[in-house]
Amino acid sequence: MRELVVLGTASQVPTRSRNHNGYFLRWDGEGLLFDPGEGTQRQMIHAGVAASRITRICLTHVHGDHCYGLPGVLSRMALDGVQHPVHLHYPASGGDVVRALVAVSSPGIDLRLHPHGSGGPIAEGLDVRPLKHRIETYGYLLTEPDGRTFLPERLRAAGIRGPDVGRLQREGVLGAARLEEVSIPRPGQRFAIIMDTAPCAGAEELAAGTDLLVTESTFSDDDGGLAQQYLHLTAGQAGELAASGKTRTLVLTHFSSRYGDDVSLLALQARARAPETTVIAAEDLQRIAVPRRRHPVRETSGETTAIGLNHDGSS
């Protein structure tokens, strides 16, 4: 299952209906928790997210609304007896803050600290890019390896069917048939999260080709001056990121309390800049599925349908 669970959508000041930040991503066997702000542990209970599902915690930066929920989450994991290693990724310059937050957590879990001080890969399939904020900040990019999409007419011609399709995918050759002869390339899925930042090259790199992009939308376009002053994005700028990156689904979050519960204006401003993108103004406890993979279609004189593979390689 690949699904985003939104635990909180407020920026610096929570409201009666919006908790501080928190985003849990189910990605096959991984459970990634991004930016657990104050109250994240309680939001997890409301959302039905078990602490035992968390395998990685990723902090974009160490402003309080993005990390003050960390002690509670770690303490709950210790209480629940989580046995697997938990990897904590964060900007290297925030080490003192992170160590202080960890120190007040209940001991008892295998917590592994992974500071990063530059852009690039930090774990298998997980990369960071520097953003432009008042302190060191990074966005996260999760990518699936590129795969193949099978062409049914070529499979039939090669006499390959049923379980043999998955075997050919795994081994690359089956009898006289080679994988590249009966399939075409298919890009893997891409998820990115961009929190506090002004427009920058790192944000553009993160957004490029994303199936699901989560990005801050702290201010409306009408408050662009404030966004520039505090190094945040407006809704329109978030939409521009999605449009330039050809994002399929854009999730807006990290809303200023000045807009109250109704952020429909921000969604409209983002959609105006990204008309080809599905734009969602997130609500607390909302669940958003990662869009199904794009299946490339090869034009032929006959059938053009393609067979895609599931995340585990089965057809």
Side-chain angles (χ1 to χ4, degrees):
M1 177 182 290
R2 296 182 179 178
E3 177 188 54
L4 176 72
V5 183
V6 180
L7 301 172
T9 56
S11 56
Q12 186 177 30
V13 179
T15 69
R16 291 183 179 181
S17 62
R18 296 188 184 276
N19 197 74
H20 269 157
N21 280 284
Y23 312 92
F24 179 74
L25 179 68
R26 290 190 175 99
W27 187 272
D28 302 342
E30 288 257 31
L32 297 94
L33 177 65
F34 296 93
D35 282 8
E38 184 180 351
T40 293
Q41 178 187 182
R42 189 167 185 271
Q43 293 294 95
M44 289 169 58
I45 295 171
H46 286 304
V49 174
S52 60
R53 296 294 302 274
I54 298 171
T55 58
R56 294 186 188 275
I57 302 174
C58 303
L59 306 181
T60 61
H61 63 299
V62 294
H63 278 160
D65 55 326
H66 296 260
C67 66
Y68 280 178
L70 181 61
V73 170
L74 295 177
S75 297
R76 179 56 188 261
M77 297 181 79
L79 179 65
D80 290 352
V82 170
Q83 296 297 311
H84 59 256
V86 179
H87 301 273
L88 176 57
H89 303 278
Y90 57 92
S93 63
D96 288 345
V97 173
V98 170
R99 285 187 291 271
L101 293 171
V102 169
V104 298
S105 306
S106 300
I109 65 172
D110 182 5
L111 183 65
R112 304 183 183 184
L113 304 184
H114 302 284
H116 49 261
S118 61
I122 59 172
E124 184 178 357
L126 185 62
D127 287 67
V128 294
R129 295 290 186 275
L131 299 175
K132 185 180 180 181
H133 195 45
R134 302 192 301 278
I135 62 173
E136 186 181 22
T137 304
Y138 292 87
Y140 289 83
L141 173 65
L142 187 63
T143 58
E144 174 190 42
D146 293 340
R148 309 285 300 186
T149 294
F150 285 106
L151 302 171
E153 71 277 12
R154 292 195 179 183
L155 288 173
R156 286 195 296 269
I160 299 172
R161 62 179 63 86
D164 284 341
V165 176
R167 182 180 170 190
L168 178 58
Q169 167 75 7
R170 293 188 298 272
E171 300 178 5
V173 62
L174 185 65
R178 300 179 63 84
L179 178 62
E180 59 268 22
E181 296 171 343
V182 297
S183 63
I184 53 179
R186 183 195 61 222
Q189 288 187 312
R190 296 169 67 90
F191 166 89
I193 183 165
I194 299 171
M195 285 292 111
D196 300 15
T197 187
C200 64
E204 294 175 0
E205 293 174 12
L206 289 163
T210 45
D211 296 279
L212 184 64
L213 173 64
V214 179
T215 182
E216 68 134 308
S217 179
T218 308
F219 296 106
S220 79
D221 292 348
D222 301 326
D223 293 319
L226 289 174
Q228 184 176 12
Q229 178 182 352
Y230 293 107
L231 299 181
H232 279 289
L233 294 178
T234 67
Q237 288 168 336
E240 288 173 356
L241 270 179
S244 64
K246 300 187 185 305
T247 294
R248 297 173 66 194
T249 299
L250 170 65
V251 178
L252 303 176
T253 186
H254 196 271
F255 305 116
S256 169
S257 61
R258 69 178 54 237
Y259 307 114
D261 294 337
D262 185 4
V263 294
S264 58
L265 173 63
L266 278 68
L268 287 172
Q269 291 173 346
R271 290 189 187 106
R273 309 286 183 91
E276 303 300 319
T277 298
T278 299
V279 177
I280 299 172
E283 299 290 341
D284 284 25
L285 310 182
Q286 186 173 6
R287 293 174 178 267
I288 301 169
V290 176
R292 295 177 64 87
R293 293 192 189 95
R294 299 181 180 95
H295 292 313
V297 177
R298 182 181 65 89
E299 292 186 4
T300 66
S301 57
E303 185 178 5
T304 59
T305 306
I307 297 177
L309 292 183
N310 297 322
H311 301 311
D312 62 1
S314 61
S315 62

